[in-house]
């Protein structure tokens, strides 16, 4: 059969027994012909909705054979591959090379990985070999991430699953396992940062409008900046443990960058001009400079820790449309870009030497570099004995030097500090033993009555907020009509991500077993429908009682 009339825009084909099956994505059909003669042209599906790829789901098309790599994977440490000479050879994954024994492998990458959140996965790319690996799959909506190089972890926040998780990694390998660290009382964890010297995890929560800290495993959790109207929409957060300083951005009605102690005290606004959407921040811990990226002004800027000596590194709407996060490594600043779905870089001093580092990323969000230089070691002022603190020890800020010299203690939520300013006890313990806190000025009556009053106030506030939310939803346009460029309708991290999710549809048919117990063969089709929110696969039966009318000429 050679007539073009019968095969307009044929795309995929597959052989099964005596038939050749063909997809035609212009007229939305799947046809078949005799594989030997091309005759007996038949349509078996006329409404396939732009079919392209096609495969046969049947054991007949994958006959059993003898594997040359059994047993013990052919003695290969990574890949065992068959050859046309009926033998097997060992091979390595990208980023590795075979040793002289032709079976074991040697890592040849730099071990310095550009790590980034990609919506449903956490990925990393070796900065020397460009080899890419998936650290974690089946992530819901990853937004921000950070690393702990010495302990070998990547942490990330998930705004849809409302949790913070981590996975173990090192220079040469990944574990593939996921451990959920913070899962309770989390709403929109937009930004996270790791204090690698004092082993603390900090994060912002735009839903609750507060900032919290915990141990690396999620224990000893404390709210360091509460929802007291001083925060509007906290976003990015970074820490410099050597100086004991914490920085966070707020992209609400009064956009700004603030600096504070690591317990949330002594807050100071250091940047509040030429700033609108401070999506991401990073610190050059060697140069002691803060960098941030603005998603509205399309620029990257840098400043000293006190907000002085501020300058623009790059400002270009064509190069930085819809940027999200950034990281400084070596002489370069890297950033993720929503619109181009890339990670790019420029020289951090001049803004020149622009290059695209990673392409074709589904939804690039938070980025970091997994390398020892990113988290330099320093003096831990809480050693030894955790600074005498019963729970959390942190360095007090060094505003005029590069190294903190003293420490303080803080208590987790629902704990109170005793008069020694080092020992924390739970509120339940205080109620049972009131003498423990008689020198603190906190009474049992206050501990019982004040929370009750607080609960009543919170309930009233929630009722008011619900009414306001209902009124605004009733009188505003739907989310799908909002755009990133409209300041009055800027979308949250959650909305932006939800709008990029492909809405996968279920298979229109399910595989059923015949009465004999064998599996009926199926054709599996993939659609090339132009709407990215409606891509799907389909299964159709190719035996049984299916009607197969003839079309065209034989």
């Amino acid at each position: 059969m050679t007539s073009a009339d019968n095969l307009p825009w044929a795309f995929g084909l597959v052989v099964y027994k005596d038939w050749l099956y063909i997809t035609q994505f212009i007229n939305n059909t799947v046809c078949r012909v005799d594989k030997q003669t091309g005759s007996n042209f038949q349509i078996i599906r006329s409404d396939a909705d732009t079919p392209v790829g096609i495969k046969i789901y049947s054991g007949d098309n994958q006959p059993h054979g003898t594997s040359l790599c059994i047993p013990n994977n052919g003695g290969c440490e990574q890949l065992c591959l068959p050859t046309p000479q009926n033998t097997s050879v060992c091979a390595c994954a990208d980023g590795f090379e075979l040793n002289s024994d032709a079976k074991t492998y040697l890592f040849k990458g730099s071990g310095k990985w550009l790590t980034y959140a990609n919506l449903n996965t956490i990925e990393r790319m070796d900065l020397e070999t460009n080899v890419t690996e998936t650290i974690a799959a089946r992530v819901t909506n990853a937004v921000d991430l950070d690393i702990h190089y010495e302990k070998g972890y990547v942490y990330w926040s998930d705004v849809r699953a409302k949790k913070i998780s981590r996975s173990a990694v090192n220079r040469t390998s990944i574990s593939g396992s996921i451990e959920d660290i913070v899962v309770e009382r989390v709403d929109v964890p937009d930004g996270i940062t790791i204090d690698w010297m004092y082993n603390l995890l900090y994060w912002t929560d735009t839903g609750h409008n507060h900032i919290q800290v915990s141990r690396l495993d999620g224990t000893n959790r404390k709210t360091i900046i509460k929802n007291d109207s001083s925060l509007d929409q906290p976003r990015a957060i970074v820490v410099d443990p050597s100086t004991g300083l914490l920085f966070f951005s707020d992209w609400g009605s009064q956009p700004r960058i603030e600096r504070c102690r690591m317990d949330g005290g002594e807050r100071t606004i250091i940047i509040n001009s030429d700033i609108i959407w401070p999506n991401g921040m990073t610190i050059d811990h060697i140069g002691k400079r803060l960098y941030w990226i603005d998603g509205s002004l399309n620029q990257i800027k840098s400043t000293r820790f006190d907000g002085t000596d501020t300058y623009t590194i790059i400002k270009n709407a064509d190069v930085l449309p819809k940027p999200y996060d950034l990281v400084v490594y070596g002489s370069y600043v890297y950033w993720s870009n929503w619109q181009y779905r890339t990670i790019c870089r420029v020289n951090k001093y001049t803004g020149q030497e622009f290059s695209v580092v990673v392409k074709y990323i589904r939804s690039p969000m938070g980025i970091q570099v997994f390398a020892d230089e990113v988290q330099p070691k320093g003096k831990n002022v809480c050693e030894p004995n955790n600074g005498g603190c019963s729970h959390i020890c942190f360095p007090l800020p060094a505003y005029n030097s590069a190294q903190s010299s003293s420490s303080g203690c803080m208590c987790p939520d629902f704990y109170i500090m005793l008069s020694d300013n080092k020992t924390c006890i739970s509120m339940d313990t205080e109620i049972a033993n009131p003498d423990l806190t008689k020198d603190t000025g906190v009474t049992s009556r206050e501990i019982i009555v004040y929370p009750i009053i607080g609960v009543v106030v919170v309930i009233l506030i929630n009722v008011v907020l619900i009414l306001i939310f209902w009124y605004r939803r009733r009188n505003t346009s739907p989310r799908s009509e909002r755009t990133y460029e409209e300041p009055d309708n800027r979308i949250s991290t959650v909305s932006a991500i939800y709008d990029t999710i492909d809405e996968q549809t279920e298979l229109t048919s399910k595989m059923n077993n015949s009465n004999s117990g064998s599996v009926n063969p199926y054709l599996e089709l993939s659609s090339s429908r132009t709407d990215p929110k409606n891509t799907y696969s389909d299964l159709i039966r190719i035996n049984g009682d299916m009607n197969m009318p003839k079309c065209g000429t034989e």
Side-chain angles (χ1 to χ4, degrees):
M1 181 192 66
T2 59
S3 174
D5 295 335
N6 292 333
L7 293 174
W9 295 96
F11 192 93
L13 74 163
V14 65
V15 173
Y16 181 67
K17 293 186 177 179
D18 296 329
W19 298 95
L20 178 65
Y21 294 84
I22 307 164
T23 60
Q24 301 178 85
F25 65 86
I26 289 298
N27 57 13
N28 297 325
T29 60
V30 179
C31 294
R32 74 176 186 178
V33 296
D34 186 286
K35 71 177 182 181
Q36 299 292 341
T37 65
S39 62
N40 197 17
F41 188 82
Q42 301 175 352
I43 287 181
I44 64 171
R45 182 73 178 266
S46 59
D47 59 347
D49 197 359
T50 320
V52 284
I54 182 171
K55 293 294 181 183
I56 293 289
Y57 185 86
S58 173
D60 297 337
N61 266 29
Q62 292 184 342
H64 293 288
T66 301
S67 173
L68 300 173
C69 294
I70 295 177
N72 195 32
N73 196 40
C76 304
E77 192 168 5
Q78 286 193 343
L79 301 176
C80 178
L81 305 176
T83 70
Q85 292 75 33
N86 202 32
T87 61
S88 65
V89 296
C90 298
C92 291
D94 291 341
F96 299 85
E97 60 185 7
L98 283 174
N99 283 319
S100 57
D101 61 4
K103 292 184 179 295
T104 59
Y105 67 86
L106 177 68
F107 178 72
K108 67 176 183 179
S110 66
K112 304 179 188 302
W113 300 88
L114 180 64
T115 308
Y116 54 93
N118 186 18
L119 191 66
N120 302 130
T121 60
I122 306 297
E123 311 280 345
R124 71 176 188 175
M125 186 193 77
D126 189 282
L127 288 173
E128 181 176 307
T129 64
N130 294 336
V131 171
T132 301
E133 298 178 342
T134 298
I135 296 174
R138 300 182 302 278
V139 178
T140 309
N141 287 147
V143 175
D144 199 14
L145 58 77
D146 204 355
I147 68 164
H148 196 304
Y149 183 82
E150 184 176 4
K151 292 187 177 295
Y153 282 107
V154 173
Y155 289 76
W156 66 90
S157 60
D158 191 317
V159 296
R160 193 176 189 188
K162 299 185 178 184
K163 63 183 180 181
I164 298 174
S165 308
R166 71 181 180 184
S167 184
V169 299
N170 58 39
R171 292 181 63 255
T172 61
S173 64
I174 58 179
S175 67
S177 61
I178 298 177
E179 180 184 4
D180 295 334
I181 300 301
V182 181
V183 296
E184 297 180 352
R185 304 188 308 277
V186 180
D187 193 4
V188 185
D190 259 358
I192 66 171
T193 188
I194 297 296
D195 172 1
W196 66 94
M197 289 176 57
Y198 298 90
N199 296 321
L200 299 174
L201 165 66
Y202 289 83
W203 68 93
T204 63
D205 193 316
T206 306
H208 293 311
N209 280 340
H210 65 204
I211 298 177
Q212 293 191 311
V213 63
S214 74
R215 294 290 187 188
L216 293 178
D217 60 1
T219 60
N220 288 354
R221 183 169 165 183
K222 177 179 178 60
T223 305
I224 61 170
I225 299 181
K226 300 179 180 180
N227 184 0
D228 57 0
S229 75
S230 65
L231 289 178
D232 190 355
Q233 294 189 43
R235 171 59 70 88
I237 185 168
V238 289
V239 64
D240 184 56
S242 62
T243 58
L245 295 175
L246 186 72
F247 302 84
F248 61 91
S249 68
D250 191 314
W251 69 317
S253 59
Q254 296 179 329
R256 62 193 183 275
I257 295 175
E258 292 192 39
R259 181 192 70 188
C260 65
R261 301 189 341 172
M262 291 174 61
D263 65 346
E266 300 178 7
R267 290 171 57 182
T268 301
I269 297 175
I270 62 171
I271 299 293
N272 60 2
S273 62
D274 195 27
I275 184 172
I276 299 180
W277 297 348
N279 283 340
M281 293 195 304
T282 190
I283 290 179
D284 180 351
H285 295 285
I286 305 300
K288 297 300 180 185
R289 293 191 65 89
L290 175 72
Y291 293 74
W292 74 94
I293 197 163
D294 195 302
S296 176
L297 298 176
N298 308 110
Q299 65 184 13
I300 297 175
K301 302 193 72 170
S302 174
T303 187
R304 291 178 179 172
F305 285 176
D306 59 0
T308 62
D309 189 28
T310 300
Y311 60 84
T312 301
I313 297 173
I314 181 172
K315 181 180 177 69
N316 190 320
D318 294 328
V319 175
L320 285 90
K322 299 184 181 179
Y324 186 78
D325 198 15
L326 77 168
V327 63
V328 170
Y329 181 67
S331 299
Y332 296 95
V333 55
Y334 299 76
W335 72 90
S336 56
N337 189 296
W338 279 354
Q339 179 166 314
Y340 293 153
R341 299 186 177 186
T342 58
I343 295 177
C344 306
R345 76 176 189 181
V346 294
N347 187 289
K348 70 179 182 181
Y349 301 108
T350 66
Q352 304 298 315
E353 304 176 46
F354 170 82
S355 64
V356 178
V357 181
V358 188
K359 300 179 181 179
Y360 313 120
I361 308 174
R362 184 182 183 187
S363 183
M365 305 294 284
I367 62 173
Q368 181 57 280
V369 173
F370 187 84
D372 54 353
E373 302 96 320
V374 174
Q375 295 180 336
K377 296 181 180 180
K379 179 183 177 182
N380 187 330
V381 296
C382 288
E383 292 180 348
N385 194 32
N386 195 40
C389 304
S390 64
H391 287 73
I392 304 174
C393 179
F394 67 96
L396 293 174
Y399 295 114
N400 299 314
S401 68
Q403 176 62 56
S404 172
S405 59
S406 58
S407 65
C409 303
M410 54 180 166
C411 298
D413 289 343
F414 311 113
Y415 281 70
I416 57 176
M417 183 77 74
L418 296 184
S419 57
D420 62 359
N421 290 325
K422 292 182 179 296
T423 306
C424 305
I425 64 169
S426 70
M427 291 183 176
D428 292 338
T429 301
E430 195 279 338
I431 292 174
N433 301 278
D435 290 340
L436 288 175
T437 57
K438 62 182 180 180
D439 295 329
T440 66
V442 181
T443 67
S444 300
R445 181 178 180 276
E446 290 172 331
I447 292 176
I448 296 173
V449 174
Y450 289 172
I452 294 176
I453 296 175
V455 169
V456 174
V457 172
V458 168
I459 292 174
L460 293 175
I461 292 175
N462 285 334
V463 171
V464 173
L465 291 176
I466 291 172
L467 292 174
I468 294 174
F469 176 77
W470 173 82
Y471 177 80
R472 293 181 65 182
R473 285 292 297 270
R474 182 181 178 184
N475 292 277
T476 56
S477 59
R479 186 188 69 203
S480 59
E481 296 178 5
R482 303 178 187 175
T483 64
Y484 191 98
E485 290 79 16
E486 296 173 343
D488 293 337
N489 291 319
R490 71 187 187 284
I491 55 179
S492 67
T493 303
V494 181
S495 298
I497 293 177
Y498 283 7
D499 288 341
T500 65
I501 298 174
D502 292 343
E503 299 174 358
Q504 302 293 333
T505 60
E506 295 183 356
L507 298 177
T508 57
S509 300
K510 295 184 178 180
M511 296 171 288
N512 298 308
N513 292 334
S514 65
N515 293 333
S516 62
S518 61
V519 178
N520 289 330
Y522 285 80
L523 281 171
E524 183 172 0
L525 311 176
S526 60
S527 169
S528 65
R529 183 184 293 176
T530 56
D531 181 2
K533 292 187 177 182
N534 291 284
T535 57
Y536 66 94
S537 295
D538 199 2
L539 290 178
I540 62 174
R541 293 179 59 182
I542 63 173
N543 65 349
D545 299 327
M546 178 167 288
N547 182 27
M548 299 180 182
K550 293 184 179 181
C551 71
T553 59
E554 297 183 2

